[in-house]
Amino acid sequence: MAIPKAQLETWANPGALTTSAAAYASIRNALLKSTSPVADLGLDIYLQGSYANSTNIYGDSDIDVVALYSATFSEDISLLTPAERQINASAGFVTATYTWTNLRDDVLKALRSHYGNSSVTPGKKAIKVTTGNGLKPADVIPAIQFRRYATFPNASEATAHWGIKFFDSSNNPIVNYPKYHRERGEDKNSATRTGGRYKPTIRIFKNFRNYLIDHRLLAEGIASSYHIECALHNVPDYLFIGDYTVTIPAIITHLLTTAFISLRCQNGVTDLIGTAATQWSGNDFTTFIIAAQNGWEDF
């Protein structure tokens, strides 16, 4: 049988926000207080991920916090013409003396000074922080600015996709566009597009993913929350409008019959399917959608 309407409506509800807001405020305080080595860097500190995008569900744990240092940047000039690349090369950009490694080390010092060494652990992609009693733990990502140039007539009139760049524990670069992701998600959720049903639908699919894992119908690690959200952003707006018992199977069918090449990340810049650190493998995408179809029919 299909998933009952009451279950879908329960899954559509957001998780708690109070403890995540308090944890975010705690991280900001740790990084910006006067004794912090990064207090005077002008960091742009903001939430990313499910809590930032209002797609969090009950049981979501860590909040994701970006600590962005924009005075140091990395660039991608692959989209520029040969002439524009020459202009870029002669633009007079000075090699940064404060690198991402310096930033990461100083953010680590600030967090350890505030929370204690045992509460702060460097992870594969982020710094893991236990923020305090009753508060959500946090994944803190020190990042520098990333510019994917689209045009470069001169340094002051260049156009670019603006993102963040950081490195994992194996020194592999990771580039993402969290602010674009958030803005485009809010737009798709608007009254004029999906009538506010986009984000609740994401929460349904995330809870459905957890159900599939709990019932051994899907392996852990196949479908991240980020990838699910990006996949759903590719679904036409009209398919979100209506009763969940109708829209959810229609969305599954749409994703099953959509060519990989047309799928984009919610940020609007990068392809969803691929082998990069922020992309979803084609095999895992297919595995999840087929598991969702089977799980819907045999709930």
Side-chain angles (χ1 to χ4, degrees):
M1 60 175 287
I3 302 175
K5 180 178 180 179
Q7 180 65 76
L8 295 171
E9 290 177 345
T10 297
W11 281 351
N13 292 322
L17 294 174
T18 303
T19 52
S20 64
Y24 169 63
S26 178
I27 293 293
R28 281 188 61 87
N29 177 54
L31 295 177
L32 297 180
K33 67 181 187 180
S34 59
T35 55
S36 164
V38 295
D40 298 323
L41 292 182
L43 295 180
D44 184 8
I45 303 169
Y46 57 90
L47 281 172
Q48 71 165 2
S50 61
Y51 287 98
N53 301 317
S54 301
T55 57
N56 60 297
I57 61 174
Y58 180 78
D60 277 352
S61 53
D62 298 5
I63 64 169
D64 298 313
V65 181
V66 175
L68 175 63
Y69 180 61
S70 297
T72 295
F73 70 90
S74 178
E75 62 182 6
D76 176 359
I77 62 172
S78 62
L79 299 179
L80 299 181
T81 66
E84 288 176 317
R85 294 183 191 188
Q86 288 292 332
I87 297 170
N88 173 272
S90 60
F93 293 132
V94 178
T95 301
T97 56
Y98 190 79
T99 66
W100 176 82
T101 300
N102 299 135
L103 174 66
R104 189 270 318 275
D105 291 346
D106 283 345
V107 167
L108 260 175
K109 289 176 186 175
L111 295 172
R112 284 174 168 165
S113 173
H114 186 82
Y115 296 106
N117 287 350
S118 62
S119 296
V120 180
T121 307
K124 182 177 180 181
K125 294 182 180 179
I127 300 171
K128 309 282 185 179
V129 183
T130 303
T131 55
N133 230 358
L135 301 183
K136 293 285 186 183
D139 283 348
V140 180
I141 300 173
I144 59 173
Q145 187 183 87
F146 183 77
R147 305 176 184 179
R148 188 185 189 196
Y149 285 115
T151 64
F152 204 99
N154 55 66
S156 61
E157 296 179 304
T159 61
H161 295 299
W162 304 86
I164 66 172
K165 183 176 182 177
F166 58 101
F167 297 83
D168 67 15
S169 57
S170 299
N171 208 35
N172 298 309
I174 299 173
V175 172
N176 213 334
Y177 304 86
K179 289 190 175 182
Y180 290 178
H181 182 101
R182 182 173 184 172
E183 291 165 2
R184 286 168 62 84
E186 290 174 351
D187 182 65
K188 192 171 181 71
N189 195 56
S190 65
T192 56
R193 294 192 60 183
T194 61
R197 296 181 73 81
Y198 174 57
K199 292 186 179 184
T201 300
I202 292 171
R203 292 193 287 266
I204 289 173
F205 269 87
K206 288 172 64 175
N207 276 301
F208 189 17
R209 180 267 321 272
N210 291 350
Y211 166 86
L212 294 171
I213 292 171
D214 290 344
H215 289 78
R216 299 184 179 181
L217 301 172
L218 182 72
E220 289 269 11
I222 294 294
S224 73
S225 295
Y226 172 76
H227 289 142
I228 290 172
E229 192 160 332
C230 286
L232 293 178
H233 194 268
N234 290 270
V235 176
D237 293 350
Y238 73 89
L239 287 179
F240 292 90
I241 300 172
D243 192 290
Y244 292 133
T245 58
V246 176
T247 62
I248 300 304
I251 289 169
I252 293 171
T253 298
H254 176 82
L255 291 173
L256 270 173
T257 56
T258 298
F260 286 172
I261 196 170
S262 68
L263 300 176
R264 303 282 284 174
C265 290
Q266 185 166 295
N267 58 44
V269 180
T270 53
D271 293 332
L272 174 58
I273 307 300
T275 58
T278 58
Q279 291 179 305
W280 203 355
S281 79
N283 285 340
D284 285 355
F285 168 80
T286 302
T287 297
F288 171 66
I289 300 303
I290 291 175
Q293 183 185 51
N294 293 336
W296 176 270
E297 295 172 351
D298 299 330
F299 186 79

